[in-house]
DNA sequence: TTTTAATCGAGACGGTACGTCCAGTCTTGTC
DNA sequence: GACAAGACTGGACGTACCGTCTCGATTAAAA
């Protein structure tokens, strides 16, 4: 039984409450700037504040520095986890592969990597990003694989972590390192997703 | 014995020749700074020049901007491509997986990603990096897979690009996204390499 | 006996009355900060409110801005006008010279000038300060001089304003412009007061 | 005999020399801003840099903070010491009184006080201003008085410091403290100068 | 006793300026 | 010419106050 209103343990902090509109405007502005040509480099606290129609103070009151702001903006950006049909391992993995692929294809999400890069100096930030954004996604994949092992669809001796990393790694890398991105990145991602899931399931050995 | 100045086919530009020592000192300084706690963020042209004991002019005479300098420094860092025994596909893939893993495990190489991130705005740089650093490595992997198909070790209908991406993606991601890196990253990388190659070869389906 | 509430011509506004303690605390805090090492520069409305244990609103409800607050604080600080014996012009002028000197010797009063400086932009403030603080003092000096003329102690053709300015100017300047202030500022002020009054009375010509 | 060029002990510092134009532009801009309606409060380092057409860095390279810059600007502003005829003490004192008066009448000089005020926290600045600007002027007055004593024009027992302070104090104060400044400040200053010198010479006693 | 209305503290708001740090360029004199 | 030194413009960084604006909680007199 939770506390009743009159005994609420969170008695509303004193002072003027923070503006929810400001919160939203700042995040929006950040994402906007991120999506423009300059990418992360185009995000400056001053620009964010200006575009959000907000004082710099208001930004700094909520986020202690640029990195933190960008991580939060990015976290707000991740596509929601997809619904899984649960009919077969193959179908579920395909759904997940597509979803992860989408997270790395669209204009704004691509720059997650830029930020992540700067995290060598902010280990606690990277940790937070991992915990809040990455792990939940990996966990879903793990769940599908575990279920597959249980139902006998997958090998009983499967190293789940390895399989997760292969799926996520392949979908993450796509469009980033290989030769000039194709004219039709979405189509390419789709084909890759299918290819990866099938290769993973059947193996590549003859 | 290299060509003496007077027989050089490049008839020796007038004025003082560029100092080879400066070139080296600058690259070294860049790598040093990269390896320090601040990572890429700690690399500023001023710091590089100062540490190299060189004027800023001298740096800018050779590299037009910070990104270019860092790419070149990083390129000098990549582990050389390993020798392949050629006895079996599995053995060769394992060798390659280890090598790629190593490229993303050690202190300095990790920050390649930071830089890559900033490349959305410098497509020609990303292209150059892909062409000079990444493609040669992918090509080696491709070669092994093609040979495997030819010898019948691998499925004849194998989608080689997909397989390359799975191998490289998995090894690239390792240690980056999953929960706090293990105490023994080198050992973990080794285990991952084996797991990935085997999963890739045999598939994960029952 | 002062007017009782019910006969008061100001029939007590509705709502909670202003706290007299707050008034005092704010003025005290201002003077405190003024007296600290940072001087006027150390007085910020936030610091005043904090030190007075009062909300910023409470300060701004009483004083419209920093200048006004500081003037009022300073006005509260001026030494009261001294009693004049009236036995001789010399004695009275000496008393006044000492009093004015004291106003410019002690730690907090010194900074009156700082504030006055900023008044070029607030002419109405300067006017108020002149009217409420300075003129009353000059008027006392004027009175003494007029009386001296009347009693025949001073020249009949004396330009009173000039004489006032000389006395006040000399005592105001002391300790401010000349080389490093003496170890014993009070003693120096005393000697200066005597010297000034005598030079003024007798002239410096042979 | 000073060092010849080739053995110069100041062998020209390495690097690009500082731009003399920038120096001048910055000082000009500062004085400009000082003279505008806002006075000292209108002088911000950003405004100075902008108006001087110069980067903020360039200002900060030369002056460590706003106070220092303003003092230097102000010092450059003082009217040059007047030539003294030397024919009589009265004439010379009158010349000096007028000069000092002028220093406190014109638009820009008035704000010297504002700045001086802020010096309680920068004792070394005040010291410098005293030494470089004020003392030279007092010294000239002292010289005239000493000469007067020597020629017998002034009392042999004259306390020179007191007389200096009276003259300087009176002329400094004029236009600052008394009731609203007259329509014709220059004329008023002239009349005050004469009145002060005469009162000083003859005394005010009957 | 219940309004009613101005007070209180706390603290968020949009701004402006501070003084610092780099990027990339330019300008010296020396080698 | 290249070199080291270092000045140049420009612009973002993160901090500190200004004067204004809500909040919820007192506090007294009026109803």
């Amino acid at each position: 039984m939770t506390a009743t209103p009159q005994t609420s343990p969170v008695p509303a902090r004193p002072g003027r409450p923070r503006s929810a509109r400001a919160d939203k405007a700042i995040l929006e502005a950040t994402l906007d700037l991120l999506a423009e040509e300059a990418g992360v480099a185009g995000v400056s606290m001053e620009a964010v504040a200006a575009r959000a129609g907000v004082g710099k103070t208001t930004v700094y009151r909520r986020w202690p520095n640029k990195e933190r702001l960008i991580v939060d903006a990015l976290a707000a950006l991740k596509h929601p986890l997809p619904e899984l049909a649960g009919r077969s391992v193959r179908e579920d993995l395909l759904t997940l592969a597509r979803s992860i692929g989408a997270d790395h294809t669209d204009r704004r999400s691509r720059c997650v990597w830029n930020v992540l890069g700067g995290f060598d100096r902010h280990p606690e930030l990277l940790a937070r990003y991992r915990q809040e954004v990455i792990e939940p996604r990996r966990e879903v994949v793990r769940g599908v694989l575990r279920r597959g092992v249980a139902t006998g669809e997958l090998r009983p001796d499967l190293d789940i972590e390895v399989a997760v990393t292969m799926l996520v790694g392949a979908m993450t890398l796509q469009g980033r390192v290989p030769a000039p991105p194709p004219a039709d990145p979405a189509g390419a991602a789709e084909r890759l997703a299918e290819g990866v899931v099938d290769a993973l399931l059947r193996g590549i050995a003859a």
Side-chain angles (χ1 to χ4, degrees), chain A:
Chain A
M1 204 209 233
T2 58
T4 54
Q6 61 271 29
T7 63
S8 167
V10 187
R13 290 187 306 171
R16 175 173 171 179
R18 296 205 176 155
S19 151
R21 288 185 60 248
D23 274 80
K24 250 192 74 175
I26 294 168
L27 252 3
E28 287 282 348
T30 307
L31 259 4
D32 267 23
L33 289 168
L34 234 20
E36 282 173 9
E37 33 178 342
V40 225
V43 180
S44 74
M45 294 304 251
E46 321 220 299
V48 167
R51 168 142 348 184
V54 139
K56 252 170 51 161
T57 323
T58 300
V59 181
Y60 277 104
R61 195 173 292 114
R62 288 141 213 261
W63 289 274
N65 53 49
K66 199 164 46 154
E67 278 80 19
R68 288 283 260 268
L69 168 59
I70 296 184
V71 191
D72 275 12
L74 252 21
L77 196 72
K78 279 275 169 184
H79 298 181
L81 289 172
E83 298 279 321
L84 296 180
R87 280 188 292 268
S88 78
V89 167
R90 184 176 184 278
E91 187 184 343
D92 287 355
L93 286 183
L94 210 41
T95 304
L96 288 169
R98 284 186 189 114
S99 167
I100 296 171
D103 271 346
H104 293 276
T105 309
D106 83 72
R107 190 79 194 72
R108 299 203 284 193
S109 298
R110 292 176 58 89
C111 60
V112 171
W113 286 104
N114 305 4
V115 185
L116 249 48
F119 285 178
D120 272 348
R121 326 156 43 201
H122 300 285
E124 85 291 354
L125 259 195
L126 183 46
R128 204 159 71 80
Y129 190 78
R130 277 206 272 246
Q131 184 191 323
E132 294 179 16
V133 179
I134 297 179
E135 269 310 304
R137 282 162 177 76
R138 288 177 70 94
E139 185 56 30
V140 176
V141 182
R142 249 180 237 119
V144 171
L145 295 175
R146 273 196 221 101
R147 193 147 32 83
V149 172
T151 64
E153 282 175 275
L154 300 182
R155 297 169 177 277
D157 63 339
L158 175 63
D159 182 331
I160 290 183
E161 285 311 307
V162 165
V164 170
T165 297
M166 289 176 77
L167 183 74
V168 176
M171 296 313 300
T172 298
L173 221 62
Q174 57 105 0
R176 186 151 303 272
V177 287
D184 168 25
E190 167 60 25
R191 277 191 302 280
L192 183 69
E194 280 190 57
V196 164
V197 170
D198 286 337
L200 197 54
L201 285 174
R202 296 168 8 208
I204 64 176

